[in-house]
Structure formats: structure tokens, C-alpha cells
Amino acid sequence: MPNDVMELQEKLKELQSISDNKKADRQCVDILVELAHAFYRNDPDKTRQYAEQALESALKLGYTRGEASAYKELGVYYWSQSDYRNALKYYSQSLSICENINDKDGMASCYKYYGVIHMSLGNFDKALDYYQKSMDTIKDSSNRKEMAALFNNIGILHRKMGNYESSLDYHLKSLKIFEEIGYNQSIAISICNIGVLYRNQGNSDKALEYYKMALKLYEELGDNKGIGNIYNNIGNIHLLDDRNDLALDSFNKALDLFRECRDQSSIAIASGNIASIYSDSGDYDKSLELHMKDLEFYRKLGDKSGISASCNSIGYNYMLLEKYDQAHEYIQLGLQTALDIGAKDWELVSYQYLSELYEAQEDYRQSLFFNKKHNSLKEEMFGKNTAEHIAIMQIRYETEKMEKESEIIRSKNAELRKEISRRESVEKEIMKHRDNLEEMVEQRTAELQRSFSKLAKSLTGTVFAISKIVETRDP
């Protein structure tokens, strides 16, 4: 269990032992809300339990801000279970209270969560509208953590829409803020998302570099959902490189972790990836079985992006089975869904599969038509200009980061030199007055001991600070 969670639980016990204290009771509600949010990734049942406790206490106290926060965490719980209808219900209750008390940060957070749900459902335009509304609401706030989280979500949305330059720009903005405030879980999330961008561009080495950085942070935090995401993404790299045994091992590890967290959406994603391995191995019927199951889940959920992905995969398997009518039906459905929501990544896949389908049917005119559509969209998404701009943004970020770290080291070195100089000065003073020490022993001994003790502590602290900078910079 992370130390911050244990500290919150200890603080809660301490406050709960105080009787008839309204301030302490309100602080208990705030801590219950923090605990609810701390568990949503790895133990969502605890999120619901803590949020319900917080809501019950807030209602008894008439603590409206706490009530709004508790409703919001209940929304987070239902979102984590892919129950978007109930999630929206609780977010709406939270937003209503935040608007009544003019809580700008709370309002911005609710708008952000509205955006997350619409992004999950593939309603990208609505998601962008809510993210913009959140940004407009919070722009004058000092809540940098909420702003960074918003940047991260906008970055994900732009990636889903095929806008890779904008995606990286927002992820780097998010990462910069999280690094400045030292929020490691979100640093890992931002790093992972940048890795996904590189993977989608076909830069597996760079993607793997970022995944390993994120994995290290997730393991230190004990974040099983995050670890599962990394295993899943690494599995995709193995799959692209035709290392199916390694890919299957990674996907199964991810699947086990997602099941522990009861993350149904991530379970469906990992299952779909395993289905792709069956397809590569020639077991098209097993692959179809898994993809059909995923499609049923996505349709029940209303997840248009998932529907497009599953339809494309189902159509591709039917093509390999030479069942061309079914293949055409599903790939066209995948394409239309992708066009409806503006999901360029799945639109690109649809064009490729349609080109291959018509080639298999010896309709070379149609095959060429969709091949040109595929190449045109690919150039738009991954062309030279896009790649160059992304490289420039990445280099600029890394350069700024190195310059900041160098400045900190220079500052610490200056402090260290100052302490060493002070120590040398004291030592020279001792040598200068050595002949008189016997006469000054009683007067100076205590003073010198205090001076050296203070100096040693200061020097040790400076060296430790420098060592921590090196550890933080070293991936």
C-alpha cells in the first residue's frame, strides 16, 4: 500500500477520535474523498466505499463542497466500471452543487470528466467541447494538477483523432507540470501516452524506451492498472515485430492485472489483442469468437471507437477465411463508424483492409482506389512534416528539462562550494589561533562544536540533494 494512502488512513483515524468538532468532521470528509480517488485504478470497490462514507457524512454535516466531491468520486467509480450512465448521473449531481457554490475548480473537474466519458464513447467533438469548457473555467486557477490532467486527456483525444502533433504538444505540457509538482503517477501516465504516440508512428524503439520508464514508476507505486497498460502496449510492439510468443505472454500478464482491477474496457482491449495473435497463427475461428465477444461489449457500452476497431478486425478475419461478403459488411461498418466519430486511426485501418479485400477478389480498380485513400491519410497523419514537428517538440522538451536540471545542479554546487569555503575558513581560524587554544578552550569549545555540527548537517543535505537529482534524471 502506498505511503500516502497509509498516511491518509492514519490521519482519518486521528480525526475520527475527536468528538464534537465540526472542522475535524469536515476534514474527515475531505480525507475520505482523497482515499476514494486513490483506489479507483486498482481497487474500485474501495473507491465506492470511501465515496459513500464521504457522502453520508457530508450530508449529515451540511457540508456542500464535500457532498459535491463525494458525488464526483462515485462518478469516477462508475466510470471505472464502464457504467457511463451512472457516472454521468453522479457527475451531474456534483456539477449542480459546484455551480451553486461557484466552485470553479469543481466545475472544471466535472466538465473534464464529461469529456472523458464522451471520449470513451467515441463522441470526440463533444469531448473536445467539454475539455475546452473545463479549460476556460480553470484558466485563472492555481490548480496546476487539474490543468495538467486536462492537458493529458486532450492529448489522448487528439491522438485518437489522428492529430499527432497536437497530441504530443499537450502530453509534453502535461508532463512538464507533473514533473514540476512531483506527481509520479501522472508522470507515468504522460510518459506512457507519449510512448503510444511513438508506437503509432512505427517507432518501436522509442516507444519501448518510454514504456520502460513508465513501468519503473508504476512498479514503484504498486499501480497494477498502470503496469497492465504497459504490458499490453509492450505486447503490441512484440506483435508488430512478429514475436507472437512474447506478445501473448505480455497480453496475458496485462489481462490478469486488468481482471484484478475489474477494468472491463481494458479487459476487452487485451482480449482483442490476443485475438489478433490467433489470427496471425491461422486460427481465424478463435480470433472471430473473441472479436465478436468484444463487439458485443462495445455495442452494449456504446463505445463507437471500440465498435470500429472490432468490426475492422472481424472483417479482416472473414477476408482471410475467404468469406468476402461478411468481410465487406464488417469493414464498411468499421469505416463508417470511424468516419462518424473522426477516428482517423481506424479509418486508416479500414482503407487498408478494403484495399486488401478487393485485391483478394481481383477487383484491382477498387483495390487501387482504397490504397490511394490509405496512402493519402497516412501521409496526413505520419508524413515528413508531422514527423519533423514531433521530433522538434520532443527535442525542445528534453533540452529545456536538461537545462533546468543543470541549473539546479549548478545552484547546489555553488551552495556546496560556499559550505566548503566556510569550513576551510573555520579550519584556518583554528590553525591561526592554535597557540592560544589552551587559554580559549573553555570559552570556544562549545561554540566550535555547535558550528561544526551545523556545518556538517548543511553539507550532508547539499550532497544528498545533488544525488537525488542524478537519481531522478537517470532513467
Side-chain angles (χ1 to χ4, degrees):
M1 185 180 296
N3 290 333
D4 54 346
V5 171
M6 294 177 67
E7 289 173 7
L8 285 171
Q9 290 173 332
E10 288 299 319
K11 182 65 175 176
L12 181 63
K13 289 180 182 178
E14 180 184 327
L15 289 169
Q16 286 174 335
S17 67
I18 303 173
S19 58
D20 298 325
N21 188 312
K22 193 171 183 179
K23 182 179 179 181
D25 290 340
R26 289 191 170 197
Q27 287 177 329
C28 283
V29 172
D30 294 337
I31 291 175
L32 286 167
V33 167
E34 285 189 65
L35 285 168
H37 198 76
F39 282 103
Y40 86 90
R41 288 174 65 83
N42 295 305
D43 194 346
D45 282 343
K46 285 188 178 178
T47 292
R48 180 176 54 80
Q49 291 166 11
Y50 280 121
E52 286 175 347
Q53 289 178 44
L55 180 60
E56 183 181 357
S57 297
L59 288 169
K60 286 180 180 178
L61 293 167
Y63 180 27
T64 53
R65 191 180 297 270
E67 185 183 342
S69 297
Y71 279 130
K72 186 172 65 178
E73 292 308 321
L74 283 169
V76 170
Y77 164 74
Y78 283 106
W79 167 76
S80 74
Q81 301 303 296
S82 302
D83 185 346
Y84 298 143
R85 180 177 296 179
N86 273 317
L88 282 171
K89 181 184 78 172
Y90 285 109
Y91 290 149
S92 296
Q93 288 176 285
S94 178
L95 178 61
S96 178
I97 295 171
C98 290
E99 288 174 337
N100 287 336
I101 63 176
N102 198 32
D103 178 359
K104 296 289 187 181
D105 283 356
M107 291 161 60
S109 183
C110 289
Y111 293 142
K112 179 193 73 179
Y113 283 124
Y114 277 18
V116 169
I117 288 179
H118 282 293
M119 182 170 67
S120 299
L121 292 171
N123 302 325
F124 295 157
D125 289 339
K126 281 188 177 181
L128 193 57
D129 286 344
Y130 277 115
Y131 287 151
Q132 187 59 55
K133 198 168 184 178
S134 179
M135 190 175 294
D136 292 342
T137 306
I138 205 175
K139 62 184 178 182
D140 297 325
S141 170
S142 60
N143 191 340
R144 301 180 71 219
K145 181 179 173 183
E146 188 68 28
M147 181 64 80
L150 183 59
F151 284 155
N152 177 71
N153 289 342
I154 295 173
I156 295 172
L157 179 60
H158 277 294
R159 174 177 59 78
K160 287 177 176 287
M161 297 172 71
N163 306 326
Y164 284 18
E165 287 181 54
S166 296
S167 178
L168 181 60
D169 184 37
Y170 278 106
H171 282 312
L172 290 176
K173 286 178 181 177
S174 173
L175 179 58
K176 184 178 179 181
I177 295 174
F178 283 134
E179 286 179 336
E180 288 173 355
I181 64 179
Y183 194 51
N184 284 345
Q185 186 175 69
S186 291
I187 289 172
I189 291 171
S190 293
I191 289 172
C192 176
N193 286 329
I194 292 171
V196 171
L197 275 173
Y198 281 114
R199 184 208 68 189
N200 285 9
Q201 285 189 297
N203 192 340
S204 295
D205 291 341
K206 196 70 174 176
L208 199 56
E209 176 187 334
Y210 275 85
Y211 291 156
K212 287 179 178 178
M213 284 193 283
L215 181 60
K216 184 174 184 292
L217 286 171
Y218 282 136
E219 287 176 339
E220 290 172 358
L221 293 164
D223 186 339
N224 286 341
K225 178 178 169 59
I227 295 169
N229 287 337
I230 297 299
Y231 279 137
N232 183 73
N233 292 344
I234 290 175
N236 273 318
I237 290 178
H238 290 317
L239 190 61
L240 289 171
D241 293 339
D242 295 322
R243 297 193 293 262
N244 286 359
D245 289 345
L246 291 175
L248 184 59
D249 182 60
S250 292
F251 291 145
N252 279 323
K253 285 179 179 177
L255 195 56
D256 288 342
L257 290 166
F258 292 149
R259 284 171 176 159
E260 284 182 22
C261 303
R262 292 178 39 235
D263 184 344
Q264 298 302 318
S265 291
S266 295
I267 288 170
I269 291 170
S271 175
N273 288 332
I274 291 172
S276 297
I277 293 179
Y278 282 114
S279 182
D280 279 359
S281 303
D283 192 346
Y284 307 129
D285 290 329
K286 182 64 176 178
S287 181
L288 276 170
E289 178 188 334
L290 292 176
H291 282 309
M292 286 290 190
K293 187 176 180 181
D294 283 349
L295 178 59
E296 182 183 356
F297 169 76
Y298 290 130
R299 280 176 167 162
K300 182 178 179 181
L301 201 62
D303 180 348
K304 298 180 183 68
S305 183
I307 290 170
S308 178
S310 293
C311 284
N312 274 315
S313 296
I314 290 167
Y316 184 71
N317 276 281
Y318 275 130
M319 179 184 69
L320 295 173
L321 286 167
E322 299 183 3
K323 296 180 179 181
Y324 297 135
D325 289 342
Q326 293 98 316
H328 188 269
E329 176 188 350
Y330 278 98
I331 297 172
Q332 279 288 0
L333 181 56
L335 173 60
Q336 190 57 55
T337 307
L339 290 169
D340 289 344
I341 64 175
K344 291 181 182 178
D345 48 359
W346 298 123
E347 181 186 350
L348 188 71
V349 171
S350 297
Y351 290 146
Q352 178 183 336
Y353 287 174
L354 283 170
S355 178
E356 293 180 19
L357 173 61
Y358 282 113
E359 182 181 6
Q361 294 178 288
E362 299 182 358
D363 187 342
Y364 300 115
R365 182 180 176 183
Q366 283 290 86
S367 177
L368 181 61
F369 172 78
F370 284 108
N371 181 257
K372 286 181 178 178
K373 298 274 283 185
H374 174 268
N375 289 339
S376 176
L377 183 57
K378 184 178 180 181
E379 178 62 27
E380 178 187 331
M381 293 173 64
F382 308 108
K384 182 179 179 182
N385 289 338
T386 299
E388 285 179 353
H389 290 157
I390 286 176
I392 289 168
M393 281 190 284
Q394 184 64 35
I395 291 169
R396 185 184 297 131
Y397 160 74
E398 291 175 352
T399 301
E400 289 177 357
K401 184 178 179 181
M402 289 174 65
E403 287 174 349
K404 281 187 178 181
E405 291 173 347
S406 296
E407 181 59 34
I408 293 171
I409 291 173
R410 283 195 295 271
S411 174
K412 294 300 181 180
N413 282 339
E415 183 181 346
L416 181 60
R417 284 194 295 271
K418 184 178 178 181
E419 296 297 343
I420 291 172
S421 176
R422 189 180 302 170
R423 179 172 180 171
E424 288 174 347
S425 176
V426 174
E427 288 176 347
K428 286 179 181 178
E429 183 181 347
I430 293 172
M431 294 295 294
K432 181 179 178 180
H433 297 286
R434 183 181 294 276
D435 294 338
N436 299 323
L437 277 177
E438 289 182 2
E439 298 176 353
M440 300 170 62
V441 166
E442 292 182 2
Q443 299 175 15
R444 296 290 304 277
T445 297
E447 179 184 344
L448 286 171
Q449 286 175 338
R450 287 194 298 271
S451 176
F452 278 111
S453 176
K454 182 178 179 181
L455 179 63
K457 289 179 180 178
S458 178
L459 190 62
T460 301
T462 304
V463 173
F464 177 73
I466 294 172
S467 72
K468 289 297 289 182
I469 291 166
V470 173
E471 289 170 5
T472 301
R473 187 178 58 189
D474 183 8

